[in-house]
Amino acid sequence: MSEVITGYYQTQPSIAFSGEGAEKTAIVQCKSIYYKQVNETVRAAIEEGAHRIVLQGINGQRYIGDGIVAKDVTIIVEGVAGQDLAMFMGGATVEVLANAQDGVGNTMDSGEVYIHGHAGDVIGYGMRGGAVYIRDDVGYRVGIHMKEFKSHKPLIVAGGCARDFFGEYMAGGELILLGLDSQGQRSDQPLVGNYIGTGMHGGVIYLRGEIQPFQCGKEVGIFAAEEKDLASIKKHLEKYVELFATDFGSDPAELLEELLSSKWTKLSPTSSRPYGNLYAPL
Amino acid sequence: MKDYTQPEFHVDIDYSKCHKCGRCVGQCGWGVYKFNERPIPDDSKCRACHRCVTFCPAHCITIKKSELAYRENANWEPQTRKNIWRQAATGGVLLTSMGASRPQQSIFDHLVLDACQVTNPSIDPLREPMELRTYLGNAEKGPAIKIETPLTFAPMSYGAVSLNVHKSMAMAASRLGILMNTGEGGLHADLYPYQDNVIVQVASGRFGVDPEYLNRGAAIEIKVGQGAKPGIGGHLPGEKINQEVSVTRMIPQGTDAISPAPHHDIYSIEDLRQLIYSLKEASGYKPVGVKIACVNNVGAIASGVVRAGADYVYLDGFRGGTGAAPAVIRDNVGIPLEIAIAVVDQRLRDEGIRQQASIIAAGSIRSSADLAKAIALGADSCAIGSAALIALGCHLCQGCHTGCCSWGLTTQKPELTRRLDPEEGAQRLVNLVNAWSHELQEILGALGVNAIESLRGSRERLRAVDLDEQTCKILGVKPAGM
């Protein structure tokens, strides 16, 4: 079962438990520990009944929360989370008190992820459910091929700006982009890059601001968001300000008001079968 | 617009023998027959799948090739002209299924096996033990996957094929001690009892992938490419996404299931390694294989895949089957499997990493002879998709993409899928694999060895007939007589 990956400094991190029952907390010292041992320790802590796991001294370790299936478990990451944070995760909550690298919420099943900073490329690829809230900017290829099924409906809220291929091949769920800078003000950077929603055949994208049609894939319908649209995403924005307004030193209610009073663009697919007429069957 | 093409087949009914029972009308999935006192065929809809012929109690139906003459022109074959008419009328990409059908040279057919005479006695497998058991995985870390014969079922997704096909393969794999492969379509709950004999696949659409799925399989396979359509993604049409398929794939009913061409989290070998290890982390370090299509640079690609940590490399040759692919890709992209096996095996040996991963070869393994030759060229095991479907009744009419399969294999229509009884299907697959295994033992016996291990990568036991010098050199096989 345990595979030794050579060439890395590998020891078990130290772990300290405190509290009982729903308050049971595990504090794990992860400085210079290889990801495999960190993740083994997280699993062990969940087995031991910890509901709150604090990972201290994280510095780019990969796969934190990968494949973890657990309810009522919160993993606090102190430091920059490495690639594929919360990949395949089912049910847990991960809060990162810094930036995160690429692949946050990759093929994630359920649960919640909060990033107090920026996140990299390929966020939420093939994501099936749960929610990822990112305070600041995200990179390229965010929300590619997110899909929904019945109660599973994925959500990504990115507070800053995004690069190209936002929501490419999107098949379900919601993508929300707020265009704030690191002070919680309207960013002076371009809100989003090109190829937005190329191949989109499900789900919905909300952008705070306006875009040009050339930025979107041809499968995308561009609309000005109406009141009922904003009403439908209000709870997500409330969650965003609840999580991050204090980081900016802003008042949550004021920030929410500012977000809701802005002009929003809604993107939705023109067809659930964009390639239905592409072929001549032999 | 008027369709300029003419029917390819002529449905000939001998009405003097016909019982007028109408069974052909019910059996045909393509809607060829109407019944007006007797069955009246519409030739234009016939695909020559022989379902009606097989079930006609009077044996009065004959499907004939249309005798319609085209003016001879070796350059502009009738099929070429028809394709142009179809595209001129529709503007569409020609869509087809199953493996490449053009008459390209098969290298397997130009390889012959060695046998013992006089100096080194052959072995009779009927009287002496003959080992076919094969281990797949990284030999340095200990065997990861055990199969009782060097053959597995190739990935075919539930959605592309029916649930009864999946059940047949899962039951057969379980009884044979081998593996079936879900393809990219999720794992139906009915297959859970056979999960120890199932490889679960993760492809670019990530359909049906959740933590439970990853934990149920015996191994996980990352699908990067497919021999029938290297470099392009897949579109399972909305018509095939019924309620059950939608549950297994975890997508709404009736929408297209679109698999992007690349995995958007794999743009490099480093990214591939990242995905391999994320899957291992999520599944408690199960074996993870990577399926790639055979393309020009396959040796270097496979080397990267092995270095990325894959436990096996699945090579899918250019004759490999598909449930739907653009004809232009299927018939023109990729390289022969035989070349790819030899090149990859040699490259991994040269680099001293051959023991770190196994090679599974697939893409039109038609017989135990192909299987033996593939192993002699350097494969650890082969996989069969088309051959398994043929065992279940497929007549290679190349209509999988229509979703109307009369044999009930590549369709989701309940009135058609119920035609395959999974129990009987499993028995047919068990019979086929057992028959090939016996033949493989005979081949080994003739070669004077008593374990498949002794044939693996033993190109000295192959000779080429009518292959050019360069091809022989690439294959590492001497011409016959040397």
Side-chain angles (χ1 to χ4, degrees), chain A residues 236-255:
Chain A
H236 306 319
L237 300 178
E238 283 170 348
K239 178 85 181 176
Y240 178 87
V241 299
E242 177 198 324
L243 284 165
F244 303 123
T246 48
D247 289 10
F248 299 133
S250 312
D251 176 58
E254 273 176 29
L255 183 57

Side-chain angles (χ1 to χ4, degrees), chain A residues 3 36 39 43 63 66 83-84 87-88 106-107 122 125 128 141 145 147-148 273 278-280 282, chain B residues 47 86 93 95 141 204-206 211 235 239 250 252 256 258 264-265 267 274 278 281 285 401:
Chain A
E3 186 183 8
K36 196 163 171 292
N39 294 333
R43 285 169 196 274
Y63 312 129
D66 182 1
Q83 310 277 72
D84 287 338
M87 189 169 185
F88 306 118
N106 192 339
T107 325
V122 224
Y125 176 39
R128 296 190 48 236
R141 317 200 296 276
H145 216 312
K147 55 179 78 67
E148 67 184 68
R273 303 202 47 200
L278 180 65
Y279 299 109
L282 280 176
Chain B
R47 303 192 69 97
R86 276 198 191 94
V93 171
L95 192 69
K141 292 178 182 165
S204 62
R206 303 285 155 91
H235 301 162
E239 293 91 3
M250 304 166 183
D256 281 352
I258 299 173
H264 285 281
D265 54 357
Y267 282 20
Q274 188 176 311
S278 70
E281 275 283 324
Y285 283 77
H401 56 288

